[in-house]
Amino acid sequence: MKILNDLNQEQLKAVEYNSGPHMIVAGAGSGKTRVLTYKIAYLIDQGMEPDSILALTFTNKAAKEMKDRIRSLVGKKAGSLWMGTFHSIFAKILRVEAKAINYHSNFSIYDREDSISLVSNVLQSLNINLENLTPNGVQHKISYLKNQMIKPENFGKHMATTLADKKFLEVYIEYNKRLFENNAMDFDDLLLKPIELFNDNPKILSKYKKQFKYILVDEYQDTNKAQYELLKLLSPVKDKICVVGDDAQSIYSWRGAEIKNMLNFKKDFKGAKIFRLEQNYRSTKLILAAADSIIKNNTEQITKTLWTENNDGEELTLIRASDEKDEAFQIAKRIKKEISTRKISLNDIALFYRLNSQSRALEDALRREKIPYKIVGGVEFYRRKEVKDVIAYLRVLTNQNDEESLLRIMNFPQRGIGNTSISKMIAFARKLNLSLFATMSRVFEVIEVKERIQKNVKQFKLLLDKYIDLKDKLSIGELTSALVAELGILKIYKEENSPESMSRYDNIQELLSAVQQHSKENPDSTLEEFVAEVSLISGVDQYNERENSVTLMTVHSAKGLEFPLIFITGLEEDIFPLNPRFDSDSKLEEERRLFYVALTRAKQKVFLTYARSRYRFGEVAYQSKSRFLDELDEDTFEELHGAGRKSGRRKRDLVDEFYQESYDDYDQERRSLRVGSRVVHQVFGVGKILQIVGNGELQRVTIAFEESGTKQLLSKFANLKLL
């Protein structure tokens, strides 16, 4: 293939190898996606049928981009590739084989919010009210156990030792029971149920082993135990399996990812060959040197050395701020300067943070400086309340057993069916072993429910029946538009006419546009297929790199992306790395890998910021600089103090004239000094006022400075700036 001329020598070897299991260790920016794309195209060009290739990715966005690229290389036949995320591919298989595990093919897929809602309902029905068993916490624990393939019976036998554990076990059992009754699966079930399916049905397993003659896996370092088991089960004859990943970018242990899947690949697949992609095409030499100086401190890794033919580039700039507002102020000012001097666009710039809570101060500063921005991984479009409300209607139309969705819409828009009446209907349903949907037809038998409310329930049931009947007669776009119009949702939001209601109005309109677009692009698609697709969309899938605004995101969300210029913020102990005092060495190594991921997103320039104090947990906390900054190679960065003072191991003079506008002017009008206030002195730095004596020109203040000790100063001449 002529296209292979675009590959370097090591990439070419990896693409052409076809003699058994092999792992491509692809360093950051080394062309991993290109190699995987070309390898699939090469296999097809060599005569392999596209529908016999299973290619597994970790985002729908990556799958779509790769499939489009493969189609451009080999033509329309790429359309029959089995390519997608683990969850989307195995959801597809489960819908075909649902009967074998006693499910219906129209099962609902519950996202995290749906699962939390179900847990909350289970806790309430079991009358469990323990402080350490919150819906969020229970859902997280259930998800973790499922990722580890620990079923309720295993947990009960080996792990349930305390009263709280035993109560949790009750919830875990009932939660799974309710999922089954609702004909629903949570995200973790989309991996567990196929394992159950294949283990209990050898003929079905044999069918798919014959189907998939070649398996390719992207981001292998992020696979969890269930994904690993699925790969072992489906592994083709002669181990025609290729995995691609970078152990230095394994950052998802908190959701079950196991780096050992990559580290042990040669043990798990005998005779496996390893290819190392070490040439970086993304970053400058100095950025790579900085990243290497960080990651070499980890002991659990596959040895590799990234190199590049790119230029040296600029040193990283380390900025010390007094607090989070000062940090945000400096970043906003720096963005304006960089746009002006580098002639770059807003969408060339990204701000990374370890915790979502850090975005507030950054957003405030960007708004004040009138810098457009977007948040990736915030409240995703399909997770917004009003959008989920409409989607819940569509889910009930496709799956009448979906009790969680039915509960969500029972009184939306308001139709006078209160929680008390709903609880009585649920009790009736449980007593007679009916679904809630079926109970709505027999609501007049629920004598505890008032007659007026019984009529409202009956009217609601008739509405649902009408659209259940229409769903196979109208296009998805027509059906959804008619339903929304009859519900009067848009009218309600428009009449309310508040900023929030108009935002909800716009989001519903956007959803209708999305449905119409899907209907146009997929004229044969069913409502079930659309609802299933929406259930599997993530926040990163909706990221639009062409939108001209600064991007804000957590470092986890940034993985797989790249930007000419980045800011890594909040580089302080207990933030980045997060809670190092309480974590194991392996957790600290993962935090270090996360910092490595952040650094290697940058093409040209990196800014690192940290604050001496930060408002956390309701009070001001003095912060210590992140240990990762001490691990940086001294020759890769320079340091700038927020007040315009320059320092750092690099002695080159820094000119920062734009800091002449003071943070004090930006932050607030001058306030009066008081005991407990935090202040900055031009010479002594940051401190806290311990005592104030006298008034006017004779007023004296006693201040405990962080670096200069306790000083007594005349307020008149101290020129203190309040933080």
Side-chain angles (χ1 to χ4, degrees):
M1 293 180 75
K2 288 184 179 180
I3 60 167
L4 299 187
N5 295 333
D6 297 338
L7 303 175
N8 66 35
Q9 189 175 4
E10 195 64 18
Q11 290 174 336
L12 182 61
K13 288 179 184 176
V15 166
E16 292 184 331
Y17 186 78
N18 193 17
S19 300
H22 51 297
M23 178 168 68
I24 303 171
V25 182
S30 63
K32 168 181 68 70
T33 303
R34 167 175 285 202
V35 168
L36 197 53
T37 301
Y38 279 29
K39 188 170 185 72
I40 295 169
Y42 178 74
L43 289 170
I44 295 171
D45 185 68
Q46 294 298 300
M48 181 162 283
E49 291 298 325
D51 64 357
S52 70
I53 297 172
L54 173 61
L56 296 161
T57 66
F58 269 78
T59 68
N60 294 298
K61 186 173 185 286
K64 183 180 184 305
E65 290 174 354
M66 286 175 62
K67 200 166 187 178
D68 288 345
R69 179 63 176 148
I70 294 166
R71 188 180 285 111
S72 73
L73 296 173
V74 300
K76 291 183 179 179
K77 53 187 175 182
S80 60
L81 273 169
W82 282 70
M83 174 173 274
T85 64
F86 274 89
H87 292 88
S88 65
I89 290 293
F90 288 104
K92 181 179 177 181
I93 290 173
L94 286 170
R95 290 196 187 280
V96 174
E97 312 294 348
K99 188 176 179 181
I101 54 172
N102 299 315
Y103 267 80
H104 299 290
S105 61
N106 62 338
F107 61 81
S108 298
I109 300 172
Y110 283 3
D111 61 21
R112 183 172 181 273
E113 184 183 329
D114 299 322
S115 295
I116 290 171
S117 175
L118 178 55
V119 167
S120 181
N121 289 332
V122 168
L123 286 168
Q124 188 174 355
S125 67
L126 295 177
N127 199 26
I128 293 175
N129 189 23
L130 293 179
E131 187 176 335
N132 56 350
L133 288 182
T134 63
N136 271 313
V138 170
Q139 187 277 334
H140 178 78
K141 188 170 183 177
I142 289 174
S143 179
Y144 178 81
L145 292 173
K146 285 190 174 186
N147 276 317
Q148 297 299 315
M149 298 177 61
I150 300 173
K151 295 181 178 180
E153 53 267 31
N154 304 121
F155 180 83
K157 189 174 182 180
H158 302 291
M159 304 171 74
T161 56
T162 66
L163 173 63
D165 287 339
K166 290 172 182 175
K167 290 295 182 183
F168 166 80
L169 178 59
E170 288 183 48
V171 178
Y172 192 4
I173 292 170
E174 183 65 17
Y175 171 83
N176 281 342
K177 179 172 175 282
R178 295 275 186 92
L179 280 174
F180 181 72
E181 290 172 348
N182 290 2
N183 190 36
M185 299 185 193
D186 61 24
F187 259 53
D188 304 307
D189 286 333
L190 297 180
L191 302 178
L192 286 181
K193 295 298 181 184
I195 295 173
E196 177 186 322
L197 171 73
F198 294 147
N199 283 332
D200 294 346
N201 300 273
K203 287 185 179 179
I204 293 176
L205 174 60
S206 178
K207 168 185 169 182
Y208 287 99
K209 282 180 75 74
K210 289 177 182 176
Q211 171 79 46
F212 303 130
K213 294 181 171 61
Y214 213 110
I215 296 179
L216 302 100
V217 186
D218 193 12
E219 307 286 10
Y220 189 63
Q221 76 281 349
D222 292 332
T223 52
N224 61 28
K225 187 172 183 179
Q227 289 162 333
Y228 170 82
E229 289 298 324
L230 283 168
L231 292 174
K232 291 290 285 184
L233 281 167
L234 287 173
S235 184
V237 178
K238 297 182 182 178
D239 284 336
K240 295 288 186 178
I241 184 168
C242 169
V243 303
V244 185
D246 181 6
D247 57 295
Q249 297 185 67
S250 179
I251 57 174
Y252 292 113
S253 69
W254 49 275
R255 67 183 190 195
E258 296 191 354
I259 191 174
K260 70 178 184 181
N261 291 348
M262 189 163 188
L263 299 176
N264 295 339
F265 185 78
K266 290 188 76 171
K267 293 180 183 177
D268 296 332
F269 294 90
K270 302 301 180 185
K273 189 172 178 61
I274 307 297
F275 296 91
R276 286 177 171 81
L277 305 184
E278 298 176 313
Q279 182 176 359
N280 177 284
Y281 292 93
R282 177 187 299 151
S283 306
T284 64
K285 285 186 173 71
L286 274 169
I287 291 173
L288 281 189
D292 182 64
S293 69
I294 294 297
I295 202 63
K296 72 181 182 183
N297 291 281
N298 275 6
T299 57
E300 198 174 45
Q301 60 179 301
I302 298 172
T303 305
K304 60 184 169 298
T305 303
L306 288 187
W307 60 278
T308 184
E309 293 180 349
N310 295 340
N311 57 32
D312 288 348
E314 299 178 41
E315 296 151 319
L316 290 69
T317 299
L318 176 60
I319 300 175
R320 185 178 83 171
S322 55
D323 61 13
E324 71 272 20
K325 289 185 178 180
D326 184 26
E327 177 187 49
F329 163 72
Q330 292 190 54
I331 289 171
K333 288 298 182 182
R334 175 65 72 171
I335 287 171
K336 285 190 168 182
K337 182 182 179 183
E338 295 298 324
I339 288 173
S340 174
T341 57
R342 293 180 191 269
K343 308 302 180 187
I344 59 176
S345 301
L346 289 167
N347 57 7
D348 291 328
I349 302 171
L351 277 57
F352 301 154
Y353 36 83
R354 180 65 181 84
L355 302 171
N356 278 306
S357 57
Q358 292 171 248
S359 73
R360 183 187 59 80
L362 296 170
E363 290 184 72
D364 288 346
L366 293 174
R367 280 196 297 266
R368 291 188 71 161
E369 292 299 315
K370 296 181 172 55
I371 299 173
Y373 68 90
K374 61 177 175 290
I375 295 181
V376 176
V379 180
E380 302 159 17
F381 179 75
Y382 287 103
R383 304 291 179 263
R384 291 171 184 166
K385 180 195 177 300
E386 59 278 9
V387 175
K388 280 191 67 98
D389 288 338
V390 176
I391 296 296
Y393 271 97
L394 301 182
R395 293 209 310 202
V396 171
L397 300 187
T398 64
N399 174 18
Q400 286 80 61
N401 288 331
D402 187 348
E403 187 173 287
E404 286 305 303
S405 294
L406 186 54
L407 287 172
R408 185 181 186 98
I409 61 174
M410 186 73 77
N411 201 36
F412 176 82
Q414 288 187 2
R415 48 178 63 92
I417 307 173
N419 290 334
T420 302
S421 298
I422 293 172
S423 296
K424 289 172 181 175
M425 289 168 61
I426 291 173
F428 181 87
R430 299 279 186 269
K431 183 178 179 181
L432 298 183
N433 198 26
L434 297 171
S435 69
L436 181 59
F437 186 84
T439 298
M440 292 170 67
S441 298
R442 300 175 59 173
V443 67
F444 292 108
E445 298 178 39
V446 187
I447 57 176
E448 297 90 346
V449 176
K450 293 179 181 178
E451 185 178 347
R452 172 180 55 83
I453 298 172
Q454 289 176 341
K455 290 179 180 178
N456 292 341
V457 172
K458 190 68 176 177
Q459 285 299 115
F460 179 43
K461 176 68 164 50
L462 289 172
L463 173 80
L464 293 176
D465 286 341
K466 171 184 173 181
Y467 283 94
I468 290 169
D469 181 59
L470 286 173
K471 77 179 178 68
D472 295 324
K473 299 175 182 176
L474 300 176
S475 72
I476 304 170
E478 291 169 334
L479 182 81
T480 309
S481 295
L483 175 63
V484 168
E486 183 161 349
L487 291 171
I489 299 172
L490 290 173
K491 183 181 178 184
I492 292 168
Y493 288 139
K494 197 167 187 178
E495 287 177 350
E496 187 179 325
N497 199 31
S498 67
E500 182 181 2
S501 70
M502 293 314 296
S503 174
R504 294 186 189 281
Y505 177 93
D506 290 341
N507 287 334
I508 297 293
Q509 292 283 24
E510 179 64 25
L511 174 63
L512 292 175
S513 297
V515 174
Q516 292 288 2
Q517 184 178 351
H518 175 90
S519 191
K520 184 178 179 181
E521 293 176 356
N522 307 276
D524 297 326
S525 177
T526 64
L527 182 63
E528 286 83 358
E529 288 170 340
F530 173 74
V531 171
E533 182 179 308
V534 166
S535 299
L536 294 166
I537 291 175
S538 69
V540 175
D541 292 330
Q542 299 169 68
Y543 169 62
N544 180 6
E545 62 270 18
R546 291 183 293 275
E547 186 180 336
N548 194 27
S549 54
V550 173
T551 301
L552 275 65
M553 59 174 64
T554 64
V555 184
H556 282 99
S557 297
K559 188 167 173 293
L561 303 177
E562 59 181 35
F563 300 88
L565 190 153
I566 68 166
F567 292 82
I568 307 175
T569 67
L571 282 163
E572 300 138 35
E573 293 288 290
D574 291 341
I575 292 181
F576 204 175
L578 187 64
N579 297 331
R581 292 170 295 175
F582 310 111
D583 283 343
S584 63
D585 289 342
S586 63
K587 289 291 180 64
L588 182 58
E589 291 210 351
E590 179 159 330
E591 289 291 307
R592 190 175 283 113
R593 291 194 295 270
L594 190 59
F595 185 42
Y596 173 85
V597 166
L599 286 171
T600 53
R601 299 311 92 201
K603 294 181 178 182
Q604 300 167 10
K605 179 66 180 178
V606 175
F607 290 94
L608 310 168
T609 70
Y610 71 99
R612 298 307 304 271
S613 66
R614 193 174 292 272
Y615 198 79
R616 301 186 70 196
F617 312 116
E619 60 183 28
V620 174
Y622 289 104
Q623 301 293 108
S624 300
K625 184 169 65 172
S626 170
R627 68 187 68 192
F628 297 153
L629 296 178
D630 293 327
E631 294 174 0
L632 276 174
D633 183 337
E634 294 182 359
D635 293 326
T636 63
F637 74 96
E638 56 197 4
E639 183 169 0
L640 169 70
H641 286 191
R645 300 198 305 272
K646 299 90 184 172
S647 70
R649 300 175 177 91
R650 305 293 294 181
K651 299 303 181 184
R652 184 165 62 83
D653 185 37
L654 300 177
V655 179
D656 263 346
E657 67 281 352
F658 72 90
Y659 281 120
Q660 289 175 3
E661 178 187 349
S662 73
Y663 163 55
D664 185 62
D665 293 336
Y666 160 81
D667 184 44
Q668 57 201 319
E669 294 180 2
R670 184 171 298 280
R671 298 165 292 166
S672 60
L673 300 176
R674 54 175 59 92
V675 173
S677 295
R678 297 185 61 256
V679 294
V680 175
H681 187 273
Q682 190 172 1
V683 175
F684 302 131
V686 177
K688 184 176 181 179
I689 297 177
L690 302 179
Q691 186 180 33
I692 301 176
V693 179
N695 295 296
E697 295 189 351
L698 296 178
Q699 185 185 72
R700 286 182 174 274
V701 290
T702 302
I703 304 171
F705 291 102
E706 293 177 27
E707 297 178 349
S708 307
T710 301
K711 306 286 182 183
Q712 205 175 66
L713 307 171
L714 273 172
S715 299
K716 179 180 178 181
F717 301 110
N719 194 24
L720 299 170
K721 292 183 179 179
L722 279 159
L723 296 179

